[in-house]
């Protein structure tokens, strides 16, 4: 599954600000709630699944990218949200750099095997310099969508 499908083209926010990775995760989780991708009554269970995974090992990759994720039966199919944080968020990344692009993924247990493939695909696509630069330059959702489409993400 590609990033455009995961975000449904709607679960995208640009120009976000967060002081901590937990704040960034909650902003994107709330995006999923606002767009109807996750039921409101499931918010705490989804947040718990994501934070449990994050406590095991930070999902901050390198080059300003993080892909926090969790598995829960709150969702019937995998769903994601993309957030652009121009000023960066401390995310305990492997390269010790602040994270500017965060992809939040929520997966049902039955799709766990596909989840790993999707994580790898998204990471590879976001590591393309032109995709990252276009996302960081996005002023609105339409700009971010154009970057995603252009990069095949």
């Amino acid at each position: 599954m590609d990033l455009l499908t995961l975000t449904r083209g709607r679960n995208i926010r640009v120009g976000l600000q967060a002081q901590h990775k937990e704040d960034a995760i909650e902003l994107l989780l709330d995006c999923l709630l606002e767009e109807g991708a996750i039921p409101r009554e499931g918010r705490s269970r989804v947040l718990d699944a994501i934070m449990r995974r994050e406590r095991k090992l930070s999902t901050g990759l390198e080059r300003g990218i993080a892909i926090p994720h969790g598995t829960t039966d709150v969702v019937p199919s995998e769903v994601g949200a993309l957030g652009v944080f121009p000023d960066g968020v401390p995310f305990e990344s492997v390269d010790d750099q602040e994270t500017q692009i965060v992809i939040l993924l929520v997966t049902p247990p039955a799709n766990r095997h596909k989840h790993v493939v999707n994580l790898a695909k998204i990471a590879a696509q976001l590591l393309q310099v032109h995709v990252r630069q276009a996302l960081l330059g996005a002023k609105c959702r339409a700009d971010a969508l154009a970057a995603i489409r252009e990069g095949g993400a």
Side-chain angles (χ1 to χ4, degrees):
M1 189 178 293
D2 63 19
L3 188 53
L4 185 60
T5 303
L6 284 170
T7 63
R8 302 175 182 179
R10 296 185 317 262
N11 308 332
I12 298 170
R13 300 292 187 268
V14 300
L16 297 174
Q17 293 185 345
Q19 297 296 314
H20 307 284
K21 68 179 177 178
E22 296 83 2
D23 300 332
I25 289 168
E26 289 202 55
L27 282 170
L28 292 178
L29 178 56
D30 289 341
C31 168
L32 291 173
L33 292 169
E34 290 164 13
E35 296 296 338
I38 292 177
R40 292 215 176 267
E41 64 274 6
R43 185 185 191 282
S44 63
R45 288 177 48 211
V46 172
L47 182 59
D48 182 58
I50 293 165
M51 296 314 296
R52 254 184 299 150
R53 168 58 187 87
E54 198 64 36
R55 283 189 293 273
K56 288 180 185 176
L57 181 66
S58 177
T59 55
L61 303 177
E62 59 185 350
R63 299 181 194 157
I65 300 166
I67 308 178
H69 54 279
T71 303
T72 175
D73 61 3
V74 170
V75 294
S77 61
E78 191 165 41
V79 64
L82 179 149
V84 179
F85 296 81
D87 295 334
V89 179
F91 226 96
E92 300 170 24
S93 300
V94 296
D95 63 1
D96 292 323
Q97 299 298 308
E98 295 220 336
T99 294
Q100 294 175 293
I101 300 170
V102 180
I103 309 296
L104 179 68
L105 296 178
V106 184
T107 305
N111 288 14
R112 189 172 298 183
H113 62 286
K114 291 181 183 178
H115 180 68
V116 175
V117 172
N118 290 340
L119 283 171
K121 182 178 179 181
I122 291 167
Q125 292 164 332
L126 290 175
L127 288 173
Q128 297 176 49
V129 173
H130 70 281
V131 174
R132 277 196 327 278
Q133 288 176 340
L135 284 171
L136 291 174
K139 301 295 182 206
C140 62
R141 183 186 311 177
D143 293 347
L145 278 170
I148 291 168
R149 286 186 180 112
E150 182 180 319

